[in-house]
Amino acid sequence: MPKTNSFSIVNPNKSPFFYGYVILVIGTIGIWFSIPGQTVGVSVFTDPVKDALGLSRNQFSNAYMIGTICSSLLIGKAGKWFDVYGARYVAFFAAITLSIALFLCSWSVQMSTYVKDVLNNDTWLIPFVMMVCLFFLLRFAGQGVLTMASRNMIMIWFDKNRGKVNSFSSIALSFGFSSSPLWLNILIEEYNWQGAWQVLAIALLIFSVFIFQLYKNKPEDYNLLPDGQKMQTEKQIDEPVGKQYTLNEAKKTRAFWVYGLILAFNSFFITGLTFHVVSVFASEGMAKEQAIAIFLPCSVVSVIVSTLFNFLSDYVPLKWYLYAMIFGGVLTSLGFVFLSSFVGVVILVIGIGVMGGFFSVLNAIVWPRFYGRTHLGAISGKIMGILILASALAPSIFSGIFSAFSSYKLLGYISLLFLAFLSLIAIRANNPKV
């Protein structure tokens, strides 16, 4: 049994079918398990936790922002761990860390009270600093490392069929993430917020066993090839196809930054809108119900786009997708500007759906196709850090613009200028391997 399969009873070499399909399923489930560390998973706990800790909404949001920014600064290091140690060990320890963080979050009130008693000080800074540290752990282990390791592992086990398998994963993740507020709320109502976090922590501990048994770093470790191709010679195992870019080499290409920036724009805009959606619609005279109602049609559009274009990505140049995602951003920005009208709302929904659909395609496929698999962890880790930083800054920037101008429309105009600039520099953002 290969050294990389130590302490595992599962050997891909003995699988009656291509083990990559097991990787596809278990890797997708692994990304599901990152939900407690994602914005969509944390937001459900915001009100009960901030009230229990005695923090204002701004204080709680700022703790979240600082913790997220700190995690974005270290996620690149985790990408290098992925390249050195592989998905199995990195995802395993990420799941354990996320589980510990959730347990600590569930005890946050008791820990805060204890520190206040020891210091004989009832300041809000104590729970604030504590939540900064806990949010760092949640975001780093969940949104960052576990997500990156699971997604990269899937992409490494496939090559010519990356788009097709990513189509399956994208659909599953879309429905899993969109339904998560519902089942998380059920957990909170059943066990209260502390118990809900503890249930999630126990589930992650259990899943970490499956990670250690079923996650496998790459097919070559087991004398296999991506997509289930037959090995013709031993040389095929040792020689990756095409140039394998290092992170420094990748950063010198225009494609790295252009694709990274459009993905970051999506993270920024969607996170900011999600955080302030009720306020955004209220500023245009619309009710809370109208605001929340946009997410279902957005998800439908996103699933349709990602399903179709994931499949076609095995045959279509990705630059077409880049401009299609930029177009989705333009629609989103225009919808923001004309949100007071029904047409504006429709344009916003279509734009968000188009951006989200192409995000799931490009974020998974661009990096291994353009830069190879050898340094995929370092490259995707750097991009993940940029995305996390963009999502961390968004709520405060949205809030700051609204406070200054009593309107969110300026964000739409600024976004249009940014996208126009990106469209121009994207002309030469070609696949460096071609």
Side-chain angles (χ1 to χ4, degrees):
M1 187 174 291
K3 186 177 180 180
T4 52
N5 213 46
S6 301
F7 308 109
S8 175
I9 61 174
V10 179
N11 188 348
N13 238 333
K14 298 180 180 179
S15 174
F17 53 87
F18 178 51
Y19 192 80
Y21 297 111
V22 176
I23 292 292
L24 171 61
V25 173
I26 195 66
T28 300
I29 295 173
I31 301 175
W32 277 344
F33 268 89
S34 75
I35 286 175
Q38 303 277 359
T39 300
V40 70
V42 174
S43 61
V44 183
F45 291 86
T46 296
D47 287 324
V49 176
K50 75 175 181 60
D51 292 342
L53 290 170
L55 294 173
S56 69
R57 186 173 297 276
N58 281 340
Q59 290 167 346
F60 194 80
S61 298
N62 287 335
Y64 183 76
M65 178 186 70
I66 296 171
T68 301
I69 290 174
C70 290
S71 74
S72 73
L73 300 177
L74 288 181
I75 191 64
K77 183 69 174 177
K80 294 178 181 178
W81 296 340
F82 178 91
D83 292 332
V84 175
Y85 301 108
R88 185 178 176 222
Y89 288 123
V90 170
F92 174 77
F93 286 109
I96 296 294
T97 303
L98 183 56
S99 177
I100 292 171
L102 290 169
F103 275 122
L104 293 175
C105 284
S106 73
W107 302 324
S108 55
V109 172
Q110 293 91 325
M111 291 190 298
S112 175
T113 301
Y114 176 77
V115 174
K116 287 179 179 178
D117 290 342
V118 169
L119 298 178
N120 194 27
N121 193 331
D122 195 28
T123 177
W124 62 271
L125 280 172
I126 292 173
F128 177 83
V129 172
M130 183 184 64
M131 288 311 301
V132 167
C133 296
L134 292 177
F135 280 141
F136 163 75
L137 288 175
L138 284 177
R139 302 290 277 164
F140 179 71
Q143 183 194 25
V145 183
L146 184 56
T147 301
M148 178 199 65
S150 301
R151 179 183 289 120
N152 283 349
M153 178 182 64
I154 296 172
M155 295 300 101
I156 284 174
W157 275 79
F158 293 90
D159 184 11
K160 294 180 180 179
N161 294 319
R162 277 195 192 114
K164 299 181 184 68
V165 300
N166 194 49
S167 178
F168 166 83
S169 184
S170 297
I171 295 171
L173 293 174
S174 180
F175 286 114
F177 274 64
S178 62
S179 65
S180 61
L182 176 62
W183 56 261
L184 285 172
N185 189 60
I186 292 173
L187 278 179
I188 293 173
E189 290 180 351
E190 184 70 23
Y191 301 104
N192 69 49
W193 63 269
Q194 297 99 325
W197 262 334
Q198 289 169 9
V199 169
L200 294 171
I202 293 170
L204 270 158
L205 284 178
I206 295 172
F207 182 67
S208 67
V209 177
F210 287 89
I211 290 177
F212 209 66
Q213 290 298 317
L214 300 177
Y215 271 45
K216 307 298 176 184
N217 298 338
K218 56 184 179 179
E220 289 87 348
D221 289 340
Y222 307 94
N223 295 328
L224 300 172
L225 293 174
D227 302 309
Q229 300 176 52
K230 298 295 183 181
M231 181 185 63
Q232 301 300 322
T233 66
E234 289 290 336
K235 194 176 181 181
Q236 282 185 273
I237 295 298
D238 299 320
E239 292 186 356
V241 178
K243 177 176 172 57
Q244 305 296 299
Y245 284 75
T246 65
L247 173 58
N248 287 333
E249 289 173 332
K251 288 193 296 184
K252 292 176 182 177
T253 67
R254 182 175 299 206
F256 178 89
W257 296 106
V258 172
Y259 282 87
L261 284 173
I262 189 59
L263 294 173
F265 175 81
N266 178 82
S267 294
F268 171 85
F269 213 101
I270 301 306
T271 301
L273 178 61
T274 301
F275 256 84
H276 299 288
V277 64
V278 174
S279 175
V280 168
F281 276 73
S283 69
E284 300 296 339
M286 286 179 274
K288 175 182 178 181
E289 291 74 20
Q290 291 173 288
I292 297 174
I294 71 167
F295 291 110
L296 178 58
C298 285
S299 295
V300 172
V301 175
S302 179
V303 168
I304 293 173
V305 170
S306 66
T307 302
L308 175 61
F309 290 99
N310 260 310
F311 182 85
L312 293 176
S313 67
D314 293 327
Y315 314 100
V316 177
L318 292 183
K319 185 182 278 191
W320 294 6
Y321 286 18
L322 171 63
Y323 275 103
M325 189 170 178
I326 291 174
F327 177 68
V330 170
L331 291 179
T332 302
S333 304
L334 289 173
F336 224 60
V337 172
F338 300 105
L339 190 60
S340 57
S341 67
F342 174 75
V343 173
V345 175
V346 172
I347 292 174
L348 179 68
V349 167
I350 295 173
I352 291 174
V354 170
M355 272 210 307
F358 281 108
F359 177 91
S360 69
V361 181
L362 293 178
N363 194 36
I365 294 175
V366 166
W367 317 119
R369 182 180 295 185
F370 282 18
Y371 304 109
R373 300 184 299 149
T374 303
H375 304 286
L376 180 59
I379 293 170
S380 62
K382 180 66 176 181
I383 292 297
M384 180 69 77
I386 295 172
L387 302 189
I388 294 174
L389 179 61
S391 68
L393 296 174
S396 294
I397 292 176
F398 269 63
S399 178
I401 287 179
F402 182 70
S403 297
F405 300 98
S406 300
S407 171
Y408 292 95
K409 287 186 178 181
L410 180 61
L411 279 163
Y413 292 116
I414 294 174
S415 297
L416 287 171
L417 289 175
F418 172 76
L419 292 168
F421 165 74
L422 202 59
S423 297
L424 290 176
I425 63 173
I427 294 174
R428 295 177 61 188
N430 300 314
N431 182 345
K433 283 189 173 184
V434 175

